[in-house]
Amino acid sequence: MKKLNHIALLLSITILAMACNPNEKQKAGQTQHAHGSATNETGHKTNPGLKADAPGSVVLKDPDLDALHQQYQLLTKALVVEDVKSVKTAALAIEAGARAIKGTGSMATAAAKISSTSDLKTQRMAFSTLNEAFIALLKDSGLDRGKLYVAHCPMALDDQGASWVSYTREIRNPYFGDRMLTCGSITETL
C-alpha cells in the first residue's frame, strides 16, 4: 500500500509539473541568452530545458521525501539561473507533494509562497524557510544512497545568512545567482 501511495505521489507531482510548465516554443519578446536561457518581456530569465542532475544519484530512505527532493533540485537550479517560471513550477510540485506527507506543513507553506509570486527576492526569502524544514526532514529521513551537502551563504537575506541543499560540493548560490554565484561554503555532509 505504501508503495502504491508513493507511486501516486510521484505521478501527481509529475503531472502537476508538466501541466504548469508546458514545453512551449520561445515566445515573442524573448531573447536567447548565451547559456541556453531566455529573457522574457519582464526581464526575468527562463530556461525551459532545466533538468535535475543525475536522477537517482541520491536516494532518500523515505520514498515520499525522495520524490520531493527531485523537485527541490529543480527549484534550486531555477533560482540559480533566475528562471522565475521554473521556480514557480517546481514550487507548485513541492507544495503538492509536501501536503501529502505528514509533518511537512511548513515546507508546503513556504513552497506556496514561492509559487505565488514572480518577485525573486520574495521567492528567495521563502526558499530559506523551505530549506530549514527540508534540511531537518533530510536529517530525520537519512539517505539510502549518495551524498547531499548543506551549503551556507553568510551574505544571503541581507547578511542574515541562509542555507540550502546541494547535490555537489560545487557552490552555486540560489540566493544570488550570477551576482555572487560561488558565495558560500559547505557546512555539512548528509
Side-chain angles (χ1 to χ4, degrees), residues 55-154:
S57 61
V58 173
V59 178
L60 304 180
K61 289 183 179 176
D62 180 334
D64 294 332
L65 192 56
D66 191 55
L68 284 183
H69 105 271
Q70 299 297 323
Q71 292 300 319
Y72 174 88
Q73 184 179 6
L74 293 173
L75 173 63
T76 303
K77 286 181 134 195
L79 285 167
V80 168
V81 299
E82 299 180 343
D83 178 352
V84 173
K85 185 176 180 181
S86 293
V87 167
K88 292 175 92 168
T89 299
L92 280 169
I94 290 170
E95 178 188 4
R99 292 206 187 282
I101 302 171
K102 186 177 179 180
T104 58
S106 62
M107 192 170 171
T109 301
K113 188 176 275 190
I114 293 168
S115 68
S116 70
T117 183
S118 293
D119 179 65
L120 274 169
K121 184 174 182 174
T122 303
Q123 287 176 329
R124 287 174 167 150
M125 289 176 68
F127 181 64
S128 174
T129 302
L130 185 143
N131 278 313
E132 291 171 15
F134 188 55
I135 291 168
L137 288 167
L138 288 172
K139 288 179 180 180
D140 287 345
S141 171
L143 282 71
D144 269 341
R145 181 175 71 225
K147 289 183 183 178
L148 294 173
Y149 305 94
V150 177
H152 183 80
C153 175

